[in-house]
Amino acid sequence: QKEVEQNSGPLSVPEGAIASLNCTYSDRVSQSFFWYRQYSGKSPELIMSIYSNGDKEDGRFTAQLNKASQYVSLLIRDSQPSDSATYLCAVKGGSNYKLTFGKGTLLTVNP
Amino acid sequence: DAGITQSPRHKVTETGTPVTLRCHQTENHRYMYWYRQDPGHGLRLIHYSYGVKDTDKGEVSDGYSVSRSKTEDFLLTLESATSSQTSVYFCAISDFPGKMNTEAFFGQGTRLTVV
């Protein structure tokens, strides 16, 4: 079983819609969860981190964590064409401090 | 931007030659990571370091070695480069593991081509 799994997409949404990105992880004792955005040819940049069950909002972005279900998601409200990128889910913690990534979901926001 | 510099940014090398990539940080962060990124595989951890001279293997460590003699520098060495090691390599840094806000920040990446 893969440690961190994401739908590879591509996920296509119209401008102004809500984009929903999902991630599951296998290590039940994971402590920290992150969402990164990566534009083509660029390095990943952190957009959200979450450590406790529930929702965390930052502008148009909301991260949701459910440790019992081993599930973390990212919602992007009022999606813009500039949000078009690959979104990477990352998980840290458990028995060591490795930071493990999913393969990423390609999001396309259509004007 | 986090102070992370990777060098070189681009390199073409021949099969069988040794190659060393350098990651330099000015943030005094304890943790440093080396990843490779390939289409269809995402970011895969090669090695990581949790302190000076303290390193551990990631999921794709075969054919790679690392060294960390100073807090600020983490070196990745391909002892004898192969075409399967053609990839984009990213270095990342992270703060104290006991803290909750241990986000990792990435360098600009090194594009390595082995011919």
Side-chain angles (χ1 to χ4, degrees):
Chain A
Q1 181 184 5
K2 297 290 186 182
E3 292 189 36
V4 180
E5 292 203 61
Q6 297 180 250
N7 291 330
S8 60
L11 174 64
S12 182
V13 301
E15 184 174 356
I18 296 175
S20 178
L21 304 162
N22 305 314
C23 173
T24 59
Y25 59 95
S26 61
D27 188 347
R28 185 167 289 278
V29 298
S30 295
Q31 299 283 339
S32 310
F33 308 86
F34 309 95
W35 284 99
Y36 287 81
R37 178 177 61 201
Q38 187 177 26
Y39 294 113
S40 181
K42 302 295 184 181
S43 58
E45 59 178 324
L46 180 72
I47 53 173
M48 289 287 286
S49 58
I50 187 166
Y51 307 97
S52 303
N53 280 329
D55 295 358
K56 179 182 178 182
E57 186 174 320
D58 184 0
R60 296 186 296 111
F61 299 96
T62 299
Q64 300 173 316
L65 175 61
N66 183 327
K67 290 187 177 181
S69 300
Q70 297 175 237
Y71 175 89
V72 58
S73 66
L74 179 70
L75 300 178
I76 306 174
R77 292 182 299 281
D78 187 24
S79 295
Q80 301 297 309
S82 60
D83 295 326
S84 298
T86 296
Y87 289 80
L88 303 167
C89 173
V91 175
K92 182 192 282 189
S95 59
N96 55 47
Y97 290 95
K98 289 194 300 183
L99 179 63
T100 303
F101 284 80
K103 292 184 179 181
T105 299
L106 177 62
L107 172 66
T108 300
V109 181
N110 301 304
Chain B
D1 291 344
I4 313 169
T5 303
Q6 291 185 231
S7 59
R9 295 291 313 280
H10 302 271
K11 187 171 181 65
V12 179
T13 192
E14 293 185 351
T15 299
T17 61
V19 177
T20 295
L21 308 183
R22 181 184 184 228
C23 179
H24 178 78
Q25 61 146 327
T26 58
E27 305 295 323
N28 199 35
H29 281 2
R30 179 176 174 180
Y31 272 53
M32 298 185 76
Y33 305 83
W34 275 109
Y35 292 89
R36 60 178 290 175
Q37 188 171 41
D38 306 286
H41 292 280
L43 279 162
R44 292 181 292 175
L45 183 64
I46 304 171
H47 283 280
Y48 68 106
S49 170
Y50 47 95
V52 173
K53 297 186 179 179
D54 292 322
T55 65
D56 204 352
K57 296 179 180 180
E59 60 182 300
V60 291
S61 59
D62 287 349
Y64 301 95
S65 62
V66 290
S67 66
R68 191 169 179 198
S69 58
K70 300 184 290 185
T71 298
E72 56 266 35
D73 288 327
F74 193 32
L75 305 180
L76 177 70
T77 297
L78 291 66
E79 300 291 347
S80 178
T82 67
S83 59
S84 64
Q85 293 176 311
T86 293
S87 186
V88 178
Y89 291 85
F90 286 102
C91 173
I93 65 173
S94 177
D95 209 342
F96 303 109
K99 293 171 62 176
M100 289 301 287
N101 54 330
T102 54
E103 296 92 346
F105 299 96
F106 282 80
Q108 320 96 305
T110 295
R111 183 172 296 276
L112 176 67
T113 303
V114 183
V115 299

